[in-house]
Amino acid sequence: EDKVVQSPLSLVVHEGDTVTLNCSYEVTNFRSLLWYKQEKKAPTFLFMLTSSGIEKKSGRLSSILDKKELFSILNITATQTGDSAIYLCAVSGSARQLTFGSGTQLTVLP
Amino acid sequence: DTEVTQTPKHLVMGMTNKKSLKCEQHMGHRAMYWYKQKAKKPPELMFVYSYEKLSINESVPSRFSPECPNSSLLNLHLHALQPEDSALYLCASSQDLHTTRANTGELFFGEGSRLTVL
C-alpha cells in the first residue's frame, strides 16, 4: 500500500521567516510527487516533481525531490500571512491515483 | 481552459432529501474523481471514472451514487445522507488513469461543494 507522511503536522511562524516542509513516501512504481496548497476551498497545484535533484521554483516557493531517499521538501522564504494554508503532498504510482499525505497546516503571524 | 467547475458551491439538505452534485471539465481528460474532505484532513478518494466507466469505488456507502453521463460530466447523487456526511466534496480530473509516459498523474481540482446535512 502506498504511503505518504508529511511533517510537521502544523507550524506557526512570523512573517519573514523561512519554512521547510517535509514529505516522505513509499510507493510502488513512483511516477511523480505533487505539492498542493489548500486554503478554504480546493487544493491548488504548486509543483510536480519527477526527477531527483532538480529544483522547481515559483517566486518564494521552491521544491526538490530525492528519489534515492524517498522524500521531498517544500521551502517558502520570506513568508507572508497569505502563505497560511494547508500544504498537501501527494504521490502518483502504480496504484493509478494520487495518495495524499495528511498535510502540514502552516500559520504565518503578522 | 484548465478548469473543473462544480455546482452547487454550497448545499444544505435534510436526511430525507435527494440532491445531486455536478462536475464538469472541458480539458479532454478521461479520468474523473470524487473526493470527500473533512476539516483539517486530506482528501479521501471516493470514486474514479475512467473513460466513463466506474473504475474504483473505495467502499463508499450506497447513499452516494456516482454517474458519468459523458466524458465531460460527473455527478454525485445523494440520498438519505447522515450528518456525518457533511464535508467538502471535491471533483477532480486527470489526463488518464493508465500509465503512459505523458501521464504523470496530475489532478486538477474543482472548487468543491460544501455539503451540510441536518
Side-chain angles (χ1 to χ4, degrees):
Chain A
E1 186 180 325
D2 296 346
K3 191 174 167 185
V4 179
V5 177
Q6 290 187 245
S7 64
L9 291 180
S10 66
L11 190 54
V12 180
V13 299
H14 287 91
E15 272 193 317
D17 289 349
T18 292
V19 298
T20 298
L21 310 182
N22 303 293
C23 175
S24 63
Y25 62 90
E26 295 172 22
V27 64
T28 305
N29 295 328
F30 174 88
R31 296 194 63 76
S32 60
L33 184 146
L34 296 95
W35 284 98
Y36 288 88
K37 176 184 181 183
Q38 187 173 25
E39 297 171 86
K40 290 186 179 172
K41 292 187 178 176
T44 53
F45 172 77
L46 293 176
F47 297 111
M48 180 166 65
L49 303 160
T50 55
S51 302
S52 261
I54 298 173
E55 187 184 49
K56 295 261 182 128
K57 269 183 86 74
S58 176
R60 296 176 294 103
L61 278 67
S62 64
S63 184
I64 197 160
L65 174 67
D66 186 327
K67 288 167 76 172
K68 185 180 174 188
E69 300 297 331
L70 307 182
F71 78 91
S72 173
I73 60 171
L74 175 69
N75 278 322
I76 309 175
T77 58
T79 51
Q80 301 171 357
T81 54
D83 295 326
S84 296
I86 296 173
Y87 290 83
L88 293 166
C89 173
V91 176
S92 169
S94 63
R96 299 192 299 164
Q97 69 266 2
L98 289 183
T99 300
F100 282 89
S102 54
T104 293
Q105 170 78 61
L106 174 65
T107 303
V108 182
L109 302 175
Chain B
D1 183 3
T2 57
E3 267 195 3
V4 177
T5 54
Q6 288 187 244
T7 56
K9 288 188 172 29
H10 299 273
L11 179 62
V12 179
M13 60 187 289
M15 290 192 284
T16 58
N17 292 158
K18 279 186 186 181
K19 297 285 184 184
S20 297
L21 306 181
K22 296 185 185 301
C23 175
E24 190 168 1
Q25 58 88 13
H26 294 288
M27 293 179 277
H29 288 174
R30 303 319 297 261
M32 294 185 77
Y33 309 73
W34 280 114
Y35 282 85
K36 173 183 177 180
Q37 188 176 28
K38 302 282 262 184
K40 299 188 188 300
K41 298 284 187 186
E44 295 174 18
L45 184 65
M46 299 175 73
F47 302 104
V48 182
Y49 273 81
S50 176
Y51 289 84
E52 300 159 50
K53 288 188 171 21
L54 184 63
S55 180
I56 296 172
N57 175 345
E58 291 286 344
S59 303
V60 180
S62 60
R63 57 186 186 268
F64 295 92
S65 173
E67 178 198 17
C68 189
N70 61 55
S71 59
S72 301
L73 294 174
L74 185 66
N75 299 323
L76 186 63
H77 302 300
L78 315 170
H79 176 51
L81 295 194
Q82 305 295 312
E84 60 264 28
D85 295 322
S86 299
L88 181 68
Y89 287 84
L90 294 165
C91 174
S93 69
S94 68
Q95 183 180 4
D96 202 335
L97 265 192
H98 302 293
T99 52
T100 64
R101 189 176 293 276
N103 175 26
T104 50
E106 182 184 351
L107 284 184
F108 293 81
F109 284 93
E111 293 267 291
S113 294
R114 190 164 295 283
L115 173 66
T116 303
V117 182
L118 301 176

